[in-house]
Amino acid sequence: MNIDYEKLEEITVKSQEELDAIPESFKGRIYIEFGTYFNPAVVSKRYGRSVVARGNSSVVARENSSVEARENSSVVAWENSSVVARGNSSVVARENSSVEARENSSVVAWENSSVEARGNSSVVAWENSSVEARGNSSVVARENSSVEARENSSVVAWENSSVEARENSSVDGQGNAQITDCLRDGRIKVQGNARIVYNPRNIEEYMAFYGIKHTKTKAIFFKAVHKKNDFYVSDKDSSFEYHIGKSAKCEDDLNTDINEECGSGIHIAHLDWCLNYGRNWNDLAILECEAAIKDIIVPLYGNGKVRVDKVKVLREVPLEECGVYGKILAKRRKSEVG
């Protein structure tokens, strides 16, 4: 049977043969309703829209493919693939893949993968993976993984993992884990060589904690922006532009209240924060900026970013110069372009 894929807005496939027959140029939505744990559906093309695994299907996502897992479906994500997990779906994410876990979904994240866990989702993070846990989600962080715990989430941190504990989250740190108690009175228990650290309370502590290069009056920070047609624009306001060699000034009065994490001003941060903030953008650019130390506001309960009324943009920093994580993002970008 010949199918005119250009006229279809969506298609449901119930076999690997039907899935493989869909051309990569197909711009509609694909629903997968087949596959078992031992014989999963395999998505190896990068389609124009998302592939949705639903029912009790099992799917392996490969080579930059994008899958949305619903209901009780199971997905294994490989090679920069992207997955949104909903309902009671289960996902194993590998090799720089990105997953957003919602409701009661379960995720195991490997090899620099990135996960955002919401609702009552459960995540096990391995090998430098990055997780943001929200709601009542539960996370086990292993092998240098990084977790930001919010809103009653629970985290067990192992080996060299790093955790930021916010709101009423609970953290049990073991091995050489480092726990950042953002509220200074969190529910944190440490064992072995694990340690608790606290957010910097002023710009001097901030610069010392994150190793910020500075003189007596000025400091070097970074800014994550979108690069569109050689223009650098703000993530929050696409009409606000940054230009190399020029100063950018906040249009509103700078919010100087240290109790407010987000307020009016130009938000800047240390390099790792910027890389993590823009990790899922396909147009991410990192700007190196210079700011007057005396004007920088450090939020008391912040997450690593600070704000100031004016910065001077020095240059765009190549991702390859941004450490291991930057190299990973650069590699991912090249594979997406290729």
Side-chain angles (χ1 to χ4, degrees), residues 136-151:
N136 297 303
S137 55
S138 174
V139 178
V140 178
R142 299 176 183 268
E143 296 180 23
N144 304 305
S145 55
S146 175
V147 179
E148 182 173 339
R150 296 176 178 263
E151 302 169 22

Side-chain angles (χ1 to χ4, degrees), residues 251-294:
E251 296 176 347
D252 299 319
D253 292 335
L254 177 66
N255 186 327
T256 59
D257 188 350
I258 62 173
N259 291 299
E260 292 190 26
E261 180 180 347
C262 290
S264 60
I266 294 178
H267 292 262
I268 50 181
H270 58 89
L271 182 57
D272 287 345
W273 189 96
C274 295
L275 289 169
N276 188 58
Y277 182 77
R279 66 185 183 274
N280 292 322
W281 304 350
N282 58 14
D283 58 358
L284 169 66
I286 300 295
L287 298 181
E288 185 177 81
C289 304
E290 181 182 74
I293 294 175
K294 65 179 181 64

Side-chain angles (χ1 to χ4, degrees), residues 62-297:
R62 300 178 184 271
E63 298 175 17
N64 303 303
S65 56
S66 175
V67 176
E68 182 174 333
R70 299 185 180 185
E71 296 165 33
N72 297 303
S73 58
S74 174
V75 175
V76 179
W78 295 74
E79 298 173 22
N80 303 303
S81 54
S82 175
V83 178
V84 178
R86 300 173 182 270
N88 297 302
S89 56
S90 174
V91 178
V92 178
R94 299 176 184 268
E95 297 179 24
N96 304 306
S97 53
S98 175
V99 179
E100 183 175 337
R102 297 174 179 266
E103 293 159 34
N104 296 302
S105 55
S106 174
V107 177
V108 179
W110 294 75
E111 298 174 22
N112 303 302
S113 54
S114 173
V115 179
E116 183 173 342
R118 297 173 179 267
N120 298 303
S121 55
S122 174
V123 178
V124 179
W126 293 76
E127 298 178 23
N128 304 304
S129 54
S130 174
V131 179
E132 183 173 341
R134 296 174 179 267
N136 297 303
S137 55
S138 174
V139 178
V140 178
R142 299 176 183 268
E143 296 180 23
N144 304 305
S145 55
S146 175
V147 179
E148 182 173 339
R150 296 176 178 263
E151 302 169 22
N152 304 305
S153 57
S154 175
V155 178
V156 179
W158 292 76
E159 294 162 37
N160 297 304
S161 55
S162 174
V163 178
E164 287 193 9
R166 298 175 175 276
E167 293 163 39
N168 295 306
S169 57
S170 173
V171 180
D172 183 355
Q174 305 184 31
N176 296 306
Q178 176 171 294
I179 316 301
T180 302
D181 185 355
C182 295
L183 297 181
R184 294 182 175 262
D185 59 356
R187 293 178 294 166
I188 299 175
K189 180 174 66 175
V190 295
Q191 301 178 41
N193 295 315
R195 64 173 183 166
I196 302 173
V197 298
Y198 301 95
N199 274 347
R201 292 169 295 185
N202 52 54
I203 188 57
E204 288 76 17
E205 288 187 5
Y206 183 100
M207 292 191 298
F209 187 82
Y210 291 112
I212 300 298
K213 295 180 180 179
H214 64 92
T215 65
K216 290 184 177 180
T217 59
K218 296 180 180 180
I220 300 298
F221 285 84
F222 299 90
K223 176 77 179 177
V225 296
H226 297 274
K227 188 175 183 178
K228 299 181 181 297
N229 298 322
D230 293 326
F231 289 95
Y232 304 101
V233 300
S234 166
D235 179 52
K236 298 299 182 181
D237 181 2
S238 60
S239 67
F240 192 93
E241 297 182 356
Y242 295 87
H243 301 274
I244 304 297
K246 296 184 179 181
S247 295
K249 192 176 189 320
C250 178
E251 296 176 347
D252 299 319
D253 292 335
L254 177 66
N255 186 327
T256 59
D257 188 350
I258 62 173
N259 291 299
E260 292 190 26
E261 180 180 347
C262 290
S264 60
I266 294 178
H267 292 262
I268 50 181
H270 58 89
L271 182 57
D272 287 345
W273 189 96
C274 295
L275 289 169
N276 188 58
Y277 182 77
R279 66 185 183 274
N280 292 322
W281 304 350
N282 58 14
D283 58 358
L284 169 66
I286 300 295
L287 298 181
E288 185 177 81
C289 304
E290 181 182 74
I293 294 175
K294 65 179 181 64
D295 297 331
I296 297 173
I297 305 300

